[in-house]
């Protein structure tokens, strides 16, 4: 399965190359991550992505401006997640408050973005030893201004994997057979020496079942 990364005009400049470098060192369900990019968010462009037979993960980057996703495109994304299975049906939003708003609009959530000071601690209820988060450290440091998801506003079928003071910085919401995930890190101001913990957290998210 491939990871489809949005790199259109709404995406923050520079993110594509940074995230592709991170993903080039990672695996998706046991195989090296294969990244496919797409530039359009029109109905036809989105449907081509979510209907692609090799689509396992769709990733939306930090946005430069609010993207124009139509009702039809949003419905196709929801259906991609809803009909997902073990190695498909994952959508990941990477960033902060704006990305949570897009996630809310696509899936009908009401998640509130909130700044929270680090470090962030592994939530042992869901980041279990047998999960993709099992081998990750007990806490990860704050890098940049981290706007996470207020946990009291997460839908009931959510899982927070790292959080602090009621704010999640890595979480997934079960939608049908798939999952909509959020990582409160845009990687834009992260120097190479600081990427490690957040990169491994991203890898755990894209492999989460």
């Amino acid at each position: 399965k491939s990871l489809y990364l949005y790199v259109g005009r709404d995406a923050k400049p520079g993110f594509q190359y940074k995230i592709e470098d991170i993903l080039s060192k990672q695996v998706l369900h046991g195989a090296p991550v294969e990244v496919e990019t797409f530039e359009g968010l029109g109905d036809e462009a989105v449907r081509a992505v979510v209907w692609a037979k090799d689509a396992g993960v769709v990733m939306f980057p930090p946005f430069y401006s609010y993207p124009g996703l139509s009702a039809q495109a949003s419905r196709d994304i929801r259906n991609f997640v809803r009909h997902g299975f073990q190695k498909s049906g994952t959508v990941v939003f990477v960033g902060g408050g704006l990305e949570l708003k897009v996630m809310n609009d696509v899936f009908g959530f009401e998640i509130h973005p909130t700044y929270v000071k680090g470090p962030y601690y592994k939530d042992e209820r869901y980041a279990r030893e047998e999960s993709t988060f099992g081998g990750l450290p007990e806490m990860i440091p704050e890098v940049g201004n981290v706007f996470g998801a207020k946990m009291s506003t997460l839908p009931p079928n959510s899982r927070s994997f790292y959080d602090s003071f009621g704010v999640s910085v890595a979480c997934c919401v079960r939608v049908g057979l798939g999952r909509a995930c959020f990582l409160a890190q845009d990687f834009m101001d992260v120097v190479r020496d600081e990427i490690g913990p957040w990169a491994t957290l991203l890898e755990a998210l894209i492999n989460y079942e």
Side-chain angles (χ1 to χ4, degrees), residues 101-183:
K101 176 171 173 48
V102 177
M103 186 178 180
N104 285 340
D105 291 347
V106 170
F107 290 97
F109 303 152
E110 296 182 356
I111 302 170
H112 294 180
T114 305
Y115 168 75
V116 61
K117 184 176 176 60
Y120 313 107
Y121 299 90
K122 182 188 287 188
D123 192 324
E124 301 291 351
R125 293 174 298 172
Y126 304 120
R128 300 189 181 100
E129 193 61 37
E130 69 275 12
S131 75
T132 57
F133 301 88
L136 271 60
E138 293 302 308
M139 64 181 185
I140 57 174
E142 177 181 2
V143 177
N145 290 324
V146 177
F147 280 82
K150 190 174 182 180
M151 292 170 65
S152 62
T153 66
L154 291 173
N157 50 343
S158 303
R159 301 286 185 269
S160 174
F161 306 108
Y162 278 82
D163 46 63
S164 182
F165 293 102
V167 178
S168 176
V169 297
C171 57
C172 289
V173 183
R174 181 69 64 182
V175 180
L177 298 175
R179 58 221 65 83
C181 301
F182 171 72
L183 181 66

Side-chain angles (χ1 to χ4, degrees), residues 183-203:
L183 181 66
Q185 177 59 255
D186 63 11
F187 294 101
M188 299 301 293
D189 298 316
V190 183
V191 299
R192 185 171 295 275
D193 291 344
E194 298 173 325
I195 283 178
W198 288 95
T200 55
L201 185 48
L202 176 65
E203 185 175 25

Side-chain angles (χ1 to χ4, degrees), residues 20-122:
E20 284 182 339
D21 180 60
I22 292 170
L23 292 170
S24 70
K25 304 174 180 66
Q26 299 187 347
V27 298
L28 179 62
H29 304 302
V33 177
E34 295 286 342
V35 178
E36 302 285 347
T37 60
F38 66 105
E39 297 184 4
L41 290 178
D43 293 353
E44 293 181 358
V46 170
R47 179 162 290 186
V49 169
V50 297
W51 283 18
K53 291 183 178 179
D54 66 334
V57 177
V58 177
M59 181 180 292
F60 290 101
F63 293 110
Y64 176 74
S65 60
Y66 188 85
L69 278 164
S70 71
Q72 180 61 58
S74 296
R75 187 178 303 114
D76 282 343
I77 293 171
R78 290 194 301 273
N79 286 336
F80 167 74
V81 175
R82 189 173 291 121
H83 300 147
F85 49 93
Q86 285 189 341
K87 295 184 178 181
S88 182
T90 297
V91 171
V92 179
F93 293 85
V94 179
L98 178 55
E99 292 67 42
L100 277 175
K101 176 171 173 48
V102 177
M103 186 178 180
N104 285 340
D105 291 347
V106 170
F107 290 97
F109 303 152
E110 296 182 356
I111 302 170
H112 294 180
T114 305
Y115 168 75
V116 61
K117 184 176 176 60
Y120 313 107
Y121 299 90
K122 182 188 287 188

